[in-house]
Amino acid sequence: MTRKNVLVFRELPADQLARLQAAHDVTVANPRVPAQRDAFFAALPQAQGLIGSSFRIDEAVLAHAPRLEVVSSISVGVDNYDLAALKQRGIVLCNTPGVLTETTADTIFALVMATSRRLVELALHVREGRWTRNIDETLFGWDVHGKTLGILGFGRIGQAVARRAALGFGMPVLYHNPFAVDLPELGGRARLAPLEALLGAADIVVSTLPLTDETRGLMDARRFAAMKPGAIFVNGSRGGIVNEADLLAALDSGHLRAAGLDVFAVEPLPPDSPLRTHPQVTALPHIGSATHETRHAMAVLATNNLLQALGGERPAATVE
Ligand code: DGY
């Protein structure tokens, strides 16, 4: 096979980097690291394959990459890529669906539990030496089992969250999706619902939506106001679907009880963001898929995709 030029723009596990180096000429340069940015742009004009994540690949970047054939993203979400510009240049885009489904659903469910049972707040209560007598109702949480869960988006991850909720916690599930999904194992416990009906009925609303032109800013003041008083909002997909100022207002007014957020409009969360310290917000640093096992599986799939595409084969996972 002809050796090609590969540019790795986010760190890869050593075993996957070695697979690439055995077949191709590889440059590693992460443009988000200031000291590596020049090296990234210096390597782009030769690059035939890119592999990485968390960096926007748009027209301005592609203009430096006239030889590019394939971009292999180490992520399932593809909102960082200008799909139209890639298509127009005939560049194949690959991603990593499937391998992160269960881990991301675990993270979302962890936020459901943490917000409802106030786990972070109460762990700090112990750690900071404030547990000096039995806690009283000012520190009680709220049950998760039996509550109604609303799921925005019902792809692989939304369905995996629904299984945890319906089968593990006896929760009725409503989901908002363009079409109904038949999940016989849930025995009718998950039902398709219009958005407004879901927001008005769910005790906990979780987002698993991809970020697109249709979903950007979807959760705004009007949608938060449509949620049940005292409801909880959890976002495990993309920060851009939420108007963060409107979410903060809904928390501050007391309309919403709490929010669990793994994703933000700007990541890492800026130092002055009120979401960092808001007492009703449990914020995580975008760890949806961040376990040793799953991040490795994502790197393997992304490496397979890149090697297949550069070798003229159809990659296991392409974005059409
Ligand atoms: C993805 O794969 O899109 C995740 O957000 C990365 O953790």
Side-chain angles (χ1 to χ4, degrees):
M1 188 168 73
T2 322
R3 290 182 77 82
K4 295 193 172 176
N5 297 315
V6 167
L7 176 52
V8 177
F9 65 97
R10 183 171 179 168
E11 60 283 355
L12 262 186
D15 58 344
Q16 300 311 303
L17 187 59
R19 288 178 67 206
L20 289 178
Q21 287 165 331
H24 298 291
D25 298 325
V26 177
T27 303
V28 180
N30 183 345
R32 293 190 66 171
V33 176
Q36 296 178 27
R37 194 174 165 84
D38 287 352
F40 173 81
F41 280 99
L44 262 184
Q46 292 78 43
Q48 290 152 292
L50 288 184
I51 180 167
S53 68
S54 309
F55 181 69
R56 176 123 186 102
I57 307 280
D58 57 11
E59 193 56 67
V61 172
L62 294 175
H64 293 268
R67 300 181 67 195
L68 197 57
E69 298 168 21
V70 55
V71 178
S72 181
S73 187
I74 316 171
S75 67
V76 68
V78 290
D79 45 289
N80 260 332
Y81 303 92
D82 182 334
L83 303 184
L86 287 168
K87 191 168 182 183
Q88 200 237 327
R89 289 166 183 264
I91 298 168
V92 175
L93 176 63
C94 308
N95 68 341
T96 61
V99 291
L100 47 64
T101 301
E102 299 300 328
T103 300
T104 307
D106 285 349
T107 303
I108 291 171
F109 223 85
L111 280 171
V112 169
M113 295 300 292
T115 47
S116 301
R117 299 298 306 273
R118 303 169 69 174
L119 297 183
V120 174
E121 184 186 351
L122 291 169
L124 283 175
H125 189 73
V126 177
R127 178 170 293 187
E128 292 170 355
R130 286 181 277 126
W131 188 29
T132 52
R133 60 188 176 87
N134 287 347
I135 68 159
D136 61 26
E137 64 180 8
T138 62
L139 292 177
F140 291 173
W142 295 271
D143 283 336
V144 172
H145 65 268
K147 293 284 170 60
T148 298
L149 183 70
I151 304 179
L152 306 180
F154 211 54
R156 294 180 187 83
I157 295 170
Q159 293 170 32
V161 172
R163 282 196 297 278
R164 282 156 179 74
L167 302 178
F169 288 78
M171 301 171 85
V173 173
L174 300 173
Y175 63 90
H176 178 63
N177 200 51
F179 48 86
V181 179
D182 187 25
L183 294 179
E185 73 270 29
L186 298 192
R189 272 169 288 193
R191 286 189 295 114
L192 181 69
L195 181 57
E196 301 300 320
L198 178 155
L199 295 175
D203 300 294
I204 302 162
V205 173
V206 309
S207 170
T208 67
L209 287 166
L211 183 62
T212 64
D213 289 345
E214 287 74 43
T215 62
R216 191 178 302 280
L218 179 86
M219 290 306 296
D220 59 7
R222 183 166 65 90
R223 302 271 166 45
F224 288 124
M227 285 174 65
K228 264 172 114 166
I232 289 174
F233 177 71
V234 169
N235 192 1
S237 58
R238 285 295 184 266
I241 71 133
V242 173
N243 181 317
E244 291 176 347
D246 290 353
L247 173 60
L248 283 161
L251 291 166
D252 288 338
S253 72
H255 180 63
L256 293 191
R257 193 184 298 291
L261 307 173
D262 185 41
V263 289
F264 302 90
V266 178
E267 296 178 2
L269 201 50
D272 60 352
S273 170
L275 293 169
R276 278 191 176 209
T277 51
H278 196 287
Q280 287 148 270
V281 173
T282 302
L284 296 177
H286 199 146
I287 60 159
S289 61
T291 63
H292 290 287
E293 300 93 328
T294 292
R295 283 291 170 87
H296 191 263
M298 291 165 70
V300 171
L301 178 51
T303 303
N304 289 347
N305 285 336
L306 186 64
L307 290 172
Q308 286 160 344
L310 289 178
E313 293 168 48
R314 189 177 164 74
T318 47
V319 179
E320 301 302 335

